[in-house]
Short mmCIF file of all heavy atoms in Angstrom, two decimals:
data_model
loop_
_atom_site.label_atom_id
_atom_site.label_comp_id
_atom_site.label_asym_id
_atom_site.label_seq_id
_atom_site.Cartn_x
_atom_site.Cartn_y
_atom_site.Cartn_z
N ASP A 372 -15.50 21.88 8.62
CA ASP A 372 -16.16 21.34 7.43
C ASP A 372 -15.82 19.86 7.24
O ASP A 372 -16.68 19.06 6.85
CB ASP A 372 -15.73 22.11 6.19
CG ASP A 372 -16.33 23.51 6.16
OD1 ASP A 372 -17.27 23.75 6.95
OD2 ASP A 372 -15.84 24.35 5.39
N ALA A 373 -14.58 19.46 7.55
CA ALA A 373 -14.20 18.06 7.42
C ALA A 373 -15.01 17.19 8.38
O ALA A 373 -15.48 16.13 8.03
CB ALA A 373 -12.70 17.90 7.69
N GLY A 374 -15.20 17.71 9.62
CA GLY A 374 -16.02 16.97 10.57
C GLY A 374 -17.46 16.86 10.12
O GLY A 374 -18.11 15.82 10.27
N ALA A 375 -17.97 17.94 9.53
CA ALA A 375 -19.35 17.92 9.05
C ALA A 375 -19.51 16.91 7.91
O ALA A 375 -20.52 16.20 7.85
CB ALA A 375 -19.76 19.32 8.57
N ARG A 376 -18.51 16.87 7.04
CA ARG A 376 -18.61 15.91 5.93
C ARG A 376 -18.58 14.47 6.45
O ARG A 376 -19.28 13.60 5.94
CB ARG A 376 -17.48 16.15 4.94
CG ARG A 376 -17.68 17.39 4.06
CD ARG A 376 -16.71 17.38 2.89
NE ARG A 376 -15.32 17.47 3.34
CZ ARG A 376 -14.66 18.61 3.52
NH1 ARG A 376 -15.27 19.77 3.34
NH2 ARG A 376 -13.40 18.59 3.92
N ALA A 377 -17.76 14.22 7.48
CA ALA A 377 -17.70 12.87 8.04
C ALA A 377 -19.05 12.49 8.67
O ALA A 377 -19.54 11.38 8.51
CB ALA A 377 -16.60 12.79 9.09
N ALA A 378 -19.66 13.44 9.36
CA ALA A 378 -20.97 13.17 9.97
C ALA A 378 -22.03 12.97 8.90
O ALA A 378 -22.89 12.08 9.01
CB ALA A 378 -21.37 14.32 10.89
N ALA A 379 -21.97 13.79 7.84
CA ALA A 379 -22.95 13.64 6.77
C ALA A 379 -22.82 12.28 6.11
O ALA A 379 -23.83 11.64 5.78
CB ALA A 379 -22.73 14.74 5.72
N ALA A 380 -21.57 11.80 5.96
CA ALA A 380 -21.39 10.47 5.37
C ALA A 380 -22.02 9.40 6.25
O ALA A 380 -22.64 8.46 5.76
CB ALA A 380 -19.90 10.19 5.18
N ALA A 381 -21.89 9.56 7.57
CA ALA A 381 -22.50 8.59 8.48
C ALA A 381 -24.03 8.64 8.38
O ALA A 381 -24.70 7.62 8.39
CB ALA A 381 -22.05 8.86 9.91
N CYS A 382 -24.57 9.85 8.29
CA CYS A 382 -26.03 9.99 8.19
C CYS A 382 -26.57 9.37 6.89
O CYS A 382 -27.69 8.88 6.86
CB CYS A 382 -26.42 11.46 8.24
SG CYS A 382 -26.13 12.27 9.83
N GLN A 383 -25.74 9.40 5.84
CA GLN A 383 -26.21 8.90 4.54
C GLN A 383 -26.09 7.40 4.42
O GLN A 383 -26.52 6.82 3.43
CB GLN A 383 -25.41 9.55 3.42
CG GLN A 383 -25.73 11.03 3.23
CD GLN A 383 -24.63 11.76 2.49
OE1 GLN A 383 -23.59 11.19 2.20
NE2 GLN A 383 -24.85 13.02 2.20
N ARG A 384 -25.56 6.73 5.45
CA ARG A 384 -25.35 5.30 5.34
C ARG A 384 -26.66 4.56 5.08
O ARG A 384 -26.72 3.62 4.31
CB ARG A 384 -24.70 4.75 6.62
CG ARG A 384 -24.35 3.27 6.53
CD ARG A 384 -23.74 2.76 7.81
NE ARG A 384 -22.58 3.53 8.21
CZ ARG A 384 -21.98 3.38 9.39
NH1 ARG A 384 -22.43 2.52 10.25
NH2 ARG A 384 -20.94 4.11 9.70
N ARG A 385 -27.75 5.03 5.72
CA ARG A 385 -29.03 4.34 5.52
C ARG A 385 -29.47 4.46 4.08
O ARG A 385 -29.96 3.52 3.47
CB ARG A 385 -30.09 4.93 6.45
CG ARG A 385 -29.95 4.46 7.89
CD ARG A 385 -31.03 5.08 8.74
NE ARG A 385 -30.94 6.54 8.72
CZ ARG A 385 -31.86 7.33 9.29
NH1 ARG A 385 -32.92 6.81 9.87
NH2 ARG A 385 -31.70 8.64 9.25
N ASP A 386 -29.32 5.67 3.47
CA ASP A 386 -29.73 5.85 2.08
C ASP A 386 -28.88 4.99 1.15
O ASP A 386 -29.39 4.40 0.20
CB ASP A 386 -29.60 7.32 1.67
CG ASP A 386 -30.69 8.18 2.31
OD1 ASP A 386 -31.70 7.59 2.71
OD2 ASP A 386 -30.51 9.39 2.39
N ILE A 387 -27.56 4.94 1.41
CA ILE A 387 -26.69 4.15 0.54
C ILE A 387 -27.07 2.67 0.63
O ILE A 387 -27.15 1.98 -0.37
CB ILE A 387 -25.22 4.38 0.93
CG1 ILE A 387 -24.82 5.80 0.59
CG2 ILE A 387 -24.31 3.37 0.23
CD1 ILE A 387 -23.45 6.19 1.08
N ALA A 388 -27.31 2.20 1.86
CA ALA A 388 -27.67 0.79 2.02
C ALA A 388 -28.99 0.48 1.33
O ALA A 388 -29.23 -0.65 0.88
CB ALA A 388 -27.75 0.42 3.50
N ALA A 389 -29.88 1.50 1.24
CA ALA A 389 -31.17 1.27 0.62
C ALA A 389 -31.11 1.39 -0.90
O ALA A 389 -32.12 1.22 -1.56
CB ALA A 389 -32.19 2.27 1.17
N GLY A 390 -29.94 1.71 -1.43
CA GLY A 390 -29.80 1.76 -2.87
C GLY A 390 -29.73 3.16 -3.43
O GLY A 390 -29.76 3.36 -4.64
N ARG A 391 -29.66 4.19 -2.56
CA ARG A 391 -29.56 5.57 -3.05
C ARG A 391 -28.21 6.14 -2.65
O ARG A 391 -27.82 6.08 -1.49
CB ARG A 391 -30.68 6.43 -2.43
CG ARG A 391 -32.07 6.00 -2.86
CD ARG A 391 -33.11 6.93 -2.27
NE ARG A 391 -33.14 6.89 -0.82
CZ ARG A 391 -33.82 5.95 -0.13
NH1 ARG A 391 -34.46 5.01 -0.77
NH2 ARG A 391 -33.84 5.97 1.17
N GLY A 392 -27.47 6.65 -3.59
CA GLY A 392 -26.15 7.20 -3.34
C GLY A 392 -26.23 8.52 -2.59
O GLY A 392 -27.31 9.05 -2.31
N ALA A 393 -25.06 9.09 -2.28
CA ALA A 393 -25.00 10.31 -1.49
C ALA A 393 -25.69 11.48 -2.19
O ALA A 393 -26.20 12.38 -1.57
CB ALA A 393 -23.55 10.66 -1.20
N ARG A 394 -25.71 11.45 -3.54
CA ARG A 394 -26.33 12.53 -4.28
C ARG A 394 -27.60 12.08 -4.99
O ARG A 394 -28.02 12.63 -6.00
CB ARG A 394 -25.34 13.10 -5.30
CG ARG A 394 -24.09 13.71 -4.64
CD ARG A 394 -23.18 14.33 -5.66
NE ARG A 394 -22.00 14.87 -5.02
CZ ARG A 394 -21.02 15.47 -5.66
NH1 ARG A 394 -21.08 15.60 -6.98
NH2 ARG A 394 -19.96 15.94 -5.02
N GLY A 395 -28.20 11.03 -4.49
CA GLY A 395 -29.45 10.55 -5.05
C GLY A 395 -29.28 9.58 -6.18
O GLY A 395 -30.26 9.08 -6.74
N ALA A 396 -28.03 9.26 -6.55
CA ALA A 396 -27.81 8.32 -7.65
C ALA A 396 -28.13 6.91 -7.19
O ALA A 396 -27.85 6.53 -6.05
CB ALA A 396 -26.35 8.40 -8.11
N THR A 397 -28.73 6.13 -8.07
CA THR A 397 -29.07 4.75 -7.72
C THR A 397 -27.81 3.91 -7.77
O THR A 397 -27.00 4.01 -8.66
CB THR A 397 -30.08 4.18 -8.72
OG1 THR A 397 -31.25 5.01 -8.69
CG2 THR A 397 -30.46 2.75 -8.36
N ARG A 398 -27.64 3.05 -6.78
CA ARG A 398 -26.50 2.14 -6.76
C ARG A 398 -26.96 0.81 -6.20
O ARG A 398 -28.01 0.71 -5.59
CB ARG A 398 -25.35 2.70 -5.91
CG ARG A 398 -25.75 3.02 -4.49
CD ARG A 398 -24.54 3.32 -3.64
NE ARG A 398 -23.76 2.12 -3.40
CZ ARG A 398 -22.59 2.12 -2.79
NH1 ARG A 398 -22.05 3.24 -2.39
NH2 ARG A 398 -21.93 1.00 -2.58
N ARG A 399 -26.12 -0.20 -6.40
CA ARG A 399 -26.48 -1.53 -5.91
C ARG A 399 -26.46 -1.55 -4.38
O ARG A 399 -25.48 -1.15 -3.77
CB ARG A 399 -25.47 -2.56 -6.44
CG ARG A 399 -25.70 -3.96 -5.93
CD ARG A 399 -24.70 -4.90 -6.60
NE ARG A 399 -23.32 -4.49 -6.38
CZ ARG A 399 -22.63 -4.79 -5.26
NH1 ARG A 399 -23.23 -5.45 -4.29
NH2 ARG A 399 -21.39 -4.40 -5.15
N PRO A 400 -27.55 -2.02 -3.74
CA PRO A 400 -27.53 -2.07 -2.27
C PRO A 400 -26.43 -2.98 -1.76
O PRO A 400 -26.04 -3.95 -2.43
CB PRO A 400 -28.91 -2.65 -1.94
CG PRO A 400 -29.74 -2.42 -3.16
CD PRO A 400 -28.80 -2.48 -4.31
N LEU A 401 -25.91 -2.66 -0.59
CA LEU A 401 -24.88 -3.48 0.00
C LEU A 401 -25.47 -4.81 0.47
O LEU A 401 -26.47 -4.82 1.19
CB LEU A 401 -24.26 -2.77 1.21
CG LEU A 401 -23.47 -1.51 0.89
CD1 LEU A 401 -23.07 -0.84 2.20
CD2 LEU A 401 -22.23 -1.84 0.08
N PRO A 402 -24.87 -5.94 0.11
CA PRO A 402 -25.35 -7.21 0.65
C PRO A 402 -24.94 -7.34 2.11
O PRO A 402 -23.90 -6.83 2.52
CB PRO A 402 -24.62 -8.25 -0.21
CG PRO A 402 -23.40 -7.54 -0.68
CD PRO A 402 -23.76 -6.09 -0.81
#
Side-chain angles (χ1 to χ4, degrees):
D372 289 345
R376 285 194 296 270
C382 292
Q383 289 160 355
R384 186 181 304 172
R385 283 180 300 174
D386 287 340
I387 292 173
R391 296 183 296 276
R394 298 184 181 180
T397 301
R398 57 170 289 174
R399 176 176 57 82
L401 293 173

